[in-house]
Amino acid sequence: MRLKLSVLDQSPIAEGMTAEEALANTVRLAQFVEELGYERFWVSEHHDTNNLAGSSPEVLLGHIGAKTSRIRIGSGGVMLPHYSAYKVAENFKVLEGLHPGRVDLGVGRAPGGMPIATIALQEGKRRDIDRYPQQIDDLLAYLHNDLPKEHPLHGLKATPNVQTAPDVWLLGSSSSSAILAAQKGLPYVFAQFINGEGGEYYTKLYREQFVPSKYLDKPRNMVAVFAICAETEEKAEWVASSLDLSLLMIEQGMASHGIPSPETAMSYSYSPYERMRILENRKRMIVGSPKQIKEQLFRLSEAYETDEIMLVTITYDFQDKLTSFRLIAEELWGGK
């Protein structure tokens, strides 16, 4: 089996880096992994953070699509409860019109930021996540211009009227998202890089409860995981130390001015509790040499019963990130 690999990039901002540089790196990475043979390239939505520059996936995707030619592009994801399903459909129909047959629309219901950002996005309205299942139905209907007759807005068209529609994926890190994806008959991505526990079980629930739909006739799932690869295990651990510390700082609400360097991480004085948290967070990652990463990828593929895995790589040095994706591609496919 040829294991397919994809990329989710969050446009991370390292210490001393500008947001402009982070966004430019995301575009460079998309071009780089396209040449290496990766399947798809998704970008994320995060708000009010010093560490991640990707706040508007639909805008960034338009630029990435113009700078690439073959790789599928998509959102990982749009946080749908913040928005009008109609406007999201129109945004992605424009993207589909610009880049036909290449667009994925991954949606989730997480806030993507702290409560103050949610208030700003909602302009004072209460964020009603209970409407999320209905929003998904509306989104699909708008994308395919088939609002049911009983819908209060029947007859409304989401424009432009393009020939094809983006593929919709449901993203999640819990049983509720897996079951919802199964009920809607949509493909599902489990975010192991967010939740290191329960993913295999939740994805099994998805497969067992899947109801075929006009969008998908059988279950289709991926897993997204943090991945850091280097020439040796020792070098990979060195590179990954900055992500270890970054996650710890986020969890503890510590002030951050970007992804810390490995030197900063190695000189940090960790408490016993913090060392325990690092070990726990490693359940969200695969770290090692090319051979070790290959073994872990095929183990994940078997556990999740999938032929495609999405990699999330955050490093202090952008070159280490490029090297990680290159080494993995060379180990799995000979770089092709």
Side-chain angles (χ1 to χ4, degrees), residues 22-76:
L23 292 169
N25 283 345
T26 290
V27 179
R28 286 177 58 200
L29 181 63
Q31 295 170 320
F32 187 75
V33 298
E34 178 178 66
E35 289 304 310
L36 290 173
Y38 284 77
E39 188 77 11
R40 64 188 87 232
F41 188 90
W42 288 5
V43 295
S44 63
E45 176 185 334
H46 292 89
H47 304 285
D48 190 30
T49 169
N50 293 326
N51 287 14
L52 305 171
S55 60
S56 180
E58 52 275 87
V59 174
L60 187 52
L61 288 172
H63 186 63
I64 290 170
K67 295 291 185 178
T68 55
S69 58
R70 300 182 307 277
I71 196 167
R72 291 192 67 88
I73 59 172
S75 57

Side-chain angles (χ1 to χ4, degrees), residues 85-139:
Y86 181 70
K87 184 57 179 174
V88 172
E90 291 200 321
N91 285 340
F92 277 79
K93 290 184 87 168
V94 168
L95 286 171
E96 182 72 19
L98 292 169
H99 312 292
R102 292 178 58 200
V103 179
D104 296 324
L105 170 49
V107 297
R109 60 180 151 198
M114 299 302 287
I116 191 171
T118 296
I119 292 169
L121 286 161
Q122 297 290 302
E123 292 194 326
K125 298 188 293 292
R126 179 178 174 272
R127 182 172 180 264
D128 187 2
I129 60 172
D130 293 336
R131 289 198 62 253
Y132 182 59
Q134 181 60 51
Q135 279 194 294
I136 292 169
D137 290 341
D138 289 346
L139 178 64

Side-chain angles (χ1 to χ4, degrees), residues 155-220:
L156 174 66
K157 304 291 185 187
T159 54
N161 292 315
V162 292
Q163 310 275 325
T164 56
D167 288 346
V168 175
W169 290 74
L170 258 60
L171 319 181
S173 56
S174 66
S175 59
S176 59
S177 58
I179 292 169
L180 184 61
Q183 292 171 341
K184 301 295 183 185
L186 294 172
Y188 175 64
V189 186
F190 178 77
Q192 184 168 317
F193 72 100
I194 293 174
N195 180 9
E197 300 281 357
E200 296 169 31
Y201 172 68
Y202 301 148
T203 305
K204 185 170 180 281
L205 282 180
Y206 163 73
R207 290 192 300 271
E208 290 175 346
Q209 299 189 27
F210 182 83
V211 179
S213 69
K214 57 185 173 183
Y215 311 108
L216 194 64
D217 60 355
K218 60 184 178 180
R220 183 183 184 191

